[in-house]
Amino acid sequence: MKAVRFFGQNDVRIVNDVERPVPKGDEVLLKIAGAGVCHSDLHVIDDGIIPAGPFTLGHENAGYIEEMGPEVKGFNKGDAVLVYGPWGCGHCKPCQESFENYCDHQAEQAFGGGLGFDGGMAEYMLVPSSRLLVPIHDLDPVMAAPLTDAALTPYAAIKRSLDKLTADEFVVVIGVGGLGHMALQILSAMTGAAIIACDISQEKLDFAKELGAAYVVNSGDKDAAAQITRITGVKKARVVLDFVGATPTIELGAEVVALNGDLTVVGLGGGNFPFTFGKVPLGSNLSIPYWGARTELMEVIGLARQGKIHVTVEQFPLDQALEVYDKMRKGALKGRAVLVP
Ligand code: NAD
Ligand code: ZN
Ligand code: ZN
């Protein structure tokens, strides 16, 4: 079968002769309907954040059950499912509580399919356990694939700050890409806070307004922090969600976050920041959350099925994976690109 394979830093190839796996035990083989293209793949390909492959890329996956190992119960061939992405040991306390993103054994194993193990940028994908599948019922799997990360990650980040996001507060969202465009909708659906969206592209700022941002600020402007604090007044933003994570965006977040607020850095931009007295408002929390829980993915699917969130998807064939990564490097994608085998 065809697959988009990572061989090592700066080495991704489309390969035509990958063997189609056969599921045993509790494993499930999916016929992939769509695999979302996440900016984290660029950190893997360009920055080498995961040691050499080879493995198949694609960690935002949706498909139909093709074949099941003999121990799988509760699913049928043809069921449409999402693949929960951060694969933990399945047994430790965080995993039992469905927070496999914070598995006790994370340091000892690959992160998941497409992030060390074979992922979904292929015709078929082997999922190591049926516990990692979540049914999507009437949702279109191509449109739903990005829910597994582009929506789940901001959803989990927002839930951490939910009690602070009341209607009298401001929340700043930095970066209106795949994750950011979902964050805006999740904030609108779940909170009353006034949203200030930041990006460096005017097109993304216009897009943000369509998705619920009350205000937009170009974070490339030298006076971006002053523009934001003119909107918030002296209280500043109770929560900042940074979907870039570069030094300038973390610095911007620290300048505009309120006393006792949350500065949540989701982007893996490799930024450095001195977390010390005088640099961040007193009482503020700086956190770097990772992905979300299995049950949170169920909640995200609920938001999508109710029509409260919707992924803007650009579809491409598997063969165009390298071109799509190039578009992403240039910031030329709107919403999320999904590869369709
Ligand atoms: P994306 O490429 O779809 O979007 C990035 C957006 O940020 C674009 O709109 C771009 O114009 C904008 N941008 C770039 N530089 C900017 C700046 N200086 N100021 C403001 N906006 C800027 O990326 P994505 O797939 O949404 O991923 C975003 C980040 O989140 C990546 O670093 C990715 O690796 C990371 N990520 C983290 C987790 C996690 O669990 N922590 C999960 C998924 C993705
Ligand atoms: Zn991702
Ligand atoms: Zn575990």
Side-chain angles (χ1 to χ4, degrees):
M1 63 175 189
K2 184 178 292 191
V4 181
R5 304 273 289 169
F6 172 77
F7 288 89
Q9 204 171 348
N10 301 316
D11 186 3
V12 176
R13 287 174 248 158
I14 295 164
V15 176
N16 286 305
D17 58 354
V18 176
E19 208 168 313
R20 178 175 143 172
V22 177
K24 23 179 227 314
D26 184 37
E27 294 171 351
V28 177
L29 184 73
L30 289 190
K31 185 170 170 53
I32 290 292
V37 181
C38 178
H39 203 110
S40 298
D41 290 347
L42 293 185
H43 297 308
V44 173
I45 299 164
D46 301 346
D47 308 338
I49 59 169
I50 292 183
F55 59 85
T56 300
L57 289 163
H59 59 268
E60 290 192 349
N61 304 308
Y64 299 99
I65 293 183
E66 174 73 19
E67 208 181 322
M68 292 172 279
E71 288 162 26
V72 176
K73 289 186 185 72
F75 286 99
N76 294 303
K77 186 176 174 177
D79 284 353
V81 292
L82 294 185
V83 182
Y84 172 74
W87 298 348
C89 72
H91 304 289
C92 71
K93 188 173 175 190
C95 283
Q96 296 285 11
E97 291 177 338
S98 111
F99 286 85
E100 300 200 25
N101 47 328
Y102 300 124
C103 171
D104 286 345
H105 298 277
Q106 192 175 78
E108 299 161 11
Q109 61 208 11
F111 287 98
L115 295 167
F117 296 111
D118 285 340
M121 290 183 182
E123 291 165 83
Y124 296 90
M125 173 181 180
L126 187 72
V127 179
S129 167
S130 59
R131 85 170 186 280
L132 302 167
L133 300 179
V134 188
I136 54 174
H137 309 283
D138 51 353
L139 289 178
D140 170 1
V142 175
M143 305 303 285
L147 295 176
T148 57
D149 180 10
L152 174 58
T153 300
Y155 179 84
I158 289 163
K159 257 183 95 174
R160 292 157 78 101
S161 299
L162 213 48
D163 59 334
K164 294 189 169 82
L165 293 166
T166 49
D168 54 334
E169 302 288 358
F170 292 90
V171 54
V172 171
V173 171
I174 305 175
V176 185
L179 272 66
H181 96 289
M182 297 312 297
L184 296 174
Q185 298 176 63
I186 295 162
L187 285 165
S188 301
M190 296 183 49
T191 84
I195 305 171
I196 304 170
C198 298
D199 204 290
I200 47 173
S201 132
Q202 186 56 45
E203 229 177 309
K204 300 290 172 66
L205 295 177
D206 295 341
F207 187 34
K209 280 189 199 152
E210 292 167 27
L211 300 174
Y215 308 88
V216 295
V217 170
N218 190 319
S219 42
D221 291 351
K222 280 210 169 59
D223 66 339
Q227 290 183 46
I228 293 169
T229 47
R230 268 202 295 279
I231 297 164
T232 62
V234 68
K235 65 192 286 167
K236 298 191 171 180
R238 199 69 198 289
V239 177
V240 175
L241 300 163
D242 178 356
F243 294 103
V244 180
T247 300
T249 58
I250 305 174
E251 284 172 355
L252 174 65
E255 271 186 82
V256 302
V257 74
L259 288 159
N260 208 19
D262 291 345
L263 173 51
T264 304
V265 181
V266 178
L268 310 179
N272 283 301
F273 183 79
F275 187 56
T276 183
F277 179 81
K279 295 289 181 192
V280 280
L282 295 173
S284 57
N285 304 297
L286 175 65
S287 73
I288 174 161
Y290 173 64
W291 225 325
R294 265 188 283 123
T295 51
E296 288 174 331
L297 180 56
M298 294 171 180
E299 294 161 18
V300 165
I301 291 169
L303 284 175
R305 291 189 74 203
Q306 290 186 54
K308 290 179 175 162
I309 59 171
H310 171 82
V311 189
T312 295
V313 165
E314 285 189 59
Q315 295 186 36
F316 298 89
L318 272 187
D319 283 319
Q320 282 179 24
L322 299 181
E323 288 90 328
V324 174
Y325 282 129
D326 266 341
K327 277 179 179 255
M328 181 170 254
R329 285 184 189 96
K330 294 181 187 132
L333 294 165
K334 186 177 181 186
R336 197 51 131 192
V338 173
L339 299 185
V340 178

